[in-house]
Amino acid sequence: MKWQGRRESDNVIKSSGGGSLGRGAMLGGLGLTGTLIVVVISLLLGQNPLNLLGDITSTQQPQTRQSEKYTPRNAEEAELEKMLSVVFADLEDVWTDIFKSHQQSYKKPYLHLYQDTVRSGCGVASKNQGPFYCGADQTVYIDVSFAKQLRTTFGAKGDFPFVYVLAHEVGHHVQQQLGILQKVQGLRGRVSSVEFNKQMVNLELQADYFAGVFTNHIKQKGYLDLGDIEEGMAAASGVGDDRIQEMQGGQANPDTFQHGTSKQRQEWFTRGVEYGDIEHGNTFELVNN
């Protein structure tokens, strides 16, 4: 992706060693939003959600300051962080324009780049959790060391898979802005676990679609390199529930899916690239339940 020489977002926070939000926000511990996001991301990475939830200290409150001065671990991670800051600015511009075209105002989220552990509005998390969106503080959290796992575990080569991951997480913020995230979360405990999982699949596939919408817009701006879309499709396919469950040595069980199959994730990302709008991304009507 062509990102050098363009503006970086002003809504990027950096911390190391468990740093927290530097915006004076006193946010509570791990609530319903945080729990769902933790489960979503743990399944994305092929981890047991219970193991991850056990590592989260929900009683700890976010501090009002950042930790010690942030220093990238190495030159490669410094480059990735700079790229993500530029892409995050692109995401701000694209979604602001899309919302404006619908006579709506887009509230920009934050991107928190951290090292090892972080204290979010959804609780304390480690880098093992992978990138996640916390609706409680409307922030995307990423430890860029995840890039190595993308390339090795999920076979996602190049730089665009990381762009896809960031665009997918911001897709959850778009869902929150539209009230979709809250509606799905409100189903928890009101429907069967199987039905709830189906709706979580719809939610995740829509975030994939929104990642494709973003890709459509930056393609029109001339920001894509040859092969970027293919890299994004490979990343979407690589984190399908069926593939992850099979990687764990088991058989794919559709009743436990919460993200969709590799084929579904790839198809919805591709659909977003094709249409580039919100209207064609209603996965809740188009996905077969």
Side-chain angles (χ1 to χ4, degrees):
M1 178 176 173
K2 301 178 179 68
W3 59 268
Q4 293 88 346
R6 294 192 283 107
R7 82 169 182 93
E8 298 180 41
S9 171
D10 294 327
N11 284 1
V12 178
I13 302 163
K14 297 182 180 181
S15 67
S16 59
S20 60
L21 296 176
R23 307 195 299 276
M26 296 299 294
L27 301 171
L30 185 66
L32 176 60
T33 299
T35 301
L36 289 175
I37 298 303
V38 166
V39 171
V40 166
I41 300 302
S42 61
L43 290 173
L44 172 67
L45 298 179
Q47 300 174 6
N48 185 336
L50 295 179
N51 293 338
L52 179 58
L53 290 170
D55 292 336
I56 296 180
T57 307
S58 61
T59 57
Q60 292 181 304
Q61 297 293 322
Q63 301 173 355
T64 58
R65 61 179 176 81
Q66 287 183 239
S67 60
E68 68 277 6
K69 184 178 179 181
Y70 182 90
T71 304
R73 297 182 184 97
N74 51 58
E76 180 183 10
E77 290 195 359
E79 185 86 349
L80 278 172
E81 291 169 359
K82 189 175 182 65
M83 181 191 75
L84 289 178
S85 297
V86 172
V87 173
F88 203 64
D90 291 337
L91 282 156
E92 292 170 344
D93 293 342
V94 167
W95 286 111
T96 295
D97 289 345
I98 291 175
F99 271 58
K100 185 176 181 180
S101 69
H102 289 78
Q103 290 75 51
Q104 297 185 48
S105 178
Y106 177 67
K107 182 178 180 181
K108 298 176 183 178
Y110 287 86
L111 171 62
H112 193 143
L113 300 174
Y114 71 95
Q115 295 176 354
D116 301 322
T117 60
V118 68
R119 189 174 299 169
S120 75
C122 298
V124 177
S126 74
K127 65 180 181 181
N128 295 328
Q129 181 176 340
F132 67 98
Y133 171 71
C134 176
D137 53 29
Q138 300 186 47
T139 301
V140 174
Y141 291 86
I142 293 179
D143 184 322
V144 295
S145 64
F146 179 69
K148 183 178 181 180
Q149 189 170 17
L150 267 178
R151 293 165 183 162
T152 56
T153 304
F154 300 114
K157 308 299 182 182
D159 59 3
F160 200 78
F162 221 11
V163 175
Y164 156 77
V165 168
L166 180 57
H168 173 95
E169 298 305 334
V170 171
H172 287 310
H173 179 70
V174 172
Q175 290 171 326
Q176 175 152 308
Q177 296 287 290
L178 297 174
I180 299 169
L181 190 62
Q182 298 89 322
K183 289 180 180 179
V184 174
Q185 291 169 351
L187 295 174
R188 192 176 184 88
R190 295 172 49 206
V191 299
S192 69
S193 60
V194 172
E195 177 60 29
F196 182 73
N197 285 345
K198 288 180 180 179
Q199 297 308 318
M200 288 298 293
V201 168
N202 294 340
L203 193 73
E204 292 298 325
L205 293 179
Q206 188 179 62
D208 284 331
Y209 175 84
F210 287 155
V213 169
F214 169 70
T215 303
N216 171 289
H217 285 257
I218 60 174
K219 178 183 179 181
Q220 294 182 43
K221 294 175 183 289
Y223 295 162
L224 295 186
D225 288 323
L226 184 66
D228 278 346
I229 292 179
E230 288 73 18
E231 289 178 5
M233 290 172 61
S237 175
V239 292
D241 284 323
D242 52 343
R243 181 174 185 270
I244 290 174
Q245 290 183 1
E246 289 167 359
M247 286 172 59
Q248 291 179 289
Q251 292 184 339
N253 181 3
D255 287 343
T256 63
F257 288 175
Q258 289 199 333
H259 292 81
T261 66
S262 294
K263 181 180 179 181
Q264 285 177 315
R265 301 199 70 172
Q266 191 176 59
E267 286 178 347
W268 279 100
F269 172 76
T270 303
R271 183 181 176 90
V273 174
E274 177 183 357
Y275 288 103
D277 59 27
I278 292 178
E279 288 74 14
H280 289 84
N282 190 350
T283 57
F284 299 90
E285 288 184 358
L286 298 179
V287 171
N288 292 324
N289 293 325

